[in-house]
Amino acid sequence: MTIYHKNGTVLTDQYDSIEAAAAAGANLTAADLMAANLAGANLTNATLRGAYLWGANLRGADLTGANLWGATLTNANLTNADLAGANLTGADLTGADLMGANLMDANLSGADLAAANLVNADLANANLANANLTNANLAGANLTDATLTDANLRGAYLRGADLTDADLTAADLTNATLTLGNRRVSLA
């Protein structure tokens, strides 16, 4: 399998699959994996820094501890993926489907999650400082102990989300919808 750098040069061609490359510790920095089918792949601790994964299928993939700093995951399917402890600093997850994903202890600082689907995602103790969550769906998400300082939550849907001990210092919740007790609240 040949894996290309996003500038078109060959990154590696010595592995049978992306999983084999990741397992062998290959550096997949800036790899072009647009629309790749990596459903269920074991990419634990993989280095995908700056990788181009636009529209990739990572449903149920294990990305525990992976380095996805600055990666493009626009419209990617990460449903039920395990991203616990992953580094997604500055990653572009615009429109990504992260329903039921495990993002415990993940670093999403400065990440773009605009219009992302985070329904029932586990973001306990995640760092979302300066993240863009404009119009994101966080219904039923676990944000216990999450850091959301200076996060943009404009128009976000947080109904049923657990914000216990979350740090929302200077977060923008304009037009966000959340539940307080039994009541649905819209912030204007």
Side-chain angles (χ1 to χ4, degrees):
M1 169 181 198
T2 303
I3 301 170
Y4 293 92
H5 187 281
K6 59 186 174 186
N7 70 10
T9 61
V10 174
L11 200 57
T12 183
D13 60 4
Q14 56 186 324
Y15 301 101
D16 293 333
S17 68
I18 187 75
E19 286 181 331
N27 184 350
L28 300 174
T29 297
D32 185 351
L33 299 166
M34 183 171 121
N37 184 3
L38 301 167
N42 181 0
L43 298 168
T44 303
N45 297 317
T47 300
L48 292 156
R49 186 178 171 116
Y52 190 70
L53 292 146
W54 191 98
N57 181 6
L58 291 151
R59 182 183 191 98
D62 187 351
L63 290 147
T64 306
N67 183 355
L68 290 147
W69 185 93
T72 300
L73 292 146
T74 305
N75 296 321
N77 181 354
L78 290 147
T79 304
N80 297 316
D82 191 349
L83 292 139
N87 181 4
L88 291 143
T89 303
D92 185 353
L93 292 139
T94 306
D97 189 351
L98 291 141
M99 184 187 305
N102 179 7
L103 291 148
M104 286 180 64
D105 299 310
N107 186 352
L108 292 136
S109 60
D112 191 349
L113 292 140
N117 179 6
L118 291 148
V119 171
N120 296 321
D122 191 348
L123 291 144
N125 205 42
N127 181 359
L128 291 144
N130 295 299
N132 180 15
L133 291 146
T134 303
N135 297 318
N137 187 349
L138 291 139
N142 179 9
L143 290 153
T144 304
D145 293 314
T147 301
L148 291 146
T149 54
D150 294 305
N152 182 354
L153 289 150
R154 286 178 167 261
Y157 189 77
L158 295 147
R159 187 170 180 139
D162 186 349
L163 292 159
T164 304
D165 295 325
D167 185 353
L168 291 155
T169 304
D172 185 352
L173 291 156
T174 305
N175 296 321
T177 301
L178 59 142
T179 307
L180 294 176
N182 302 6
R183 299 180 331 185
R184 181 177 163 207
V185 179
S186 291
L187 303 173

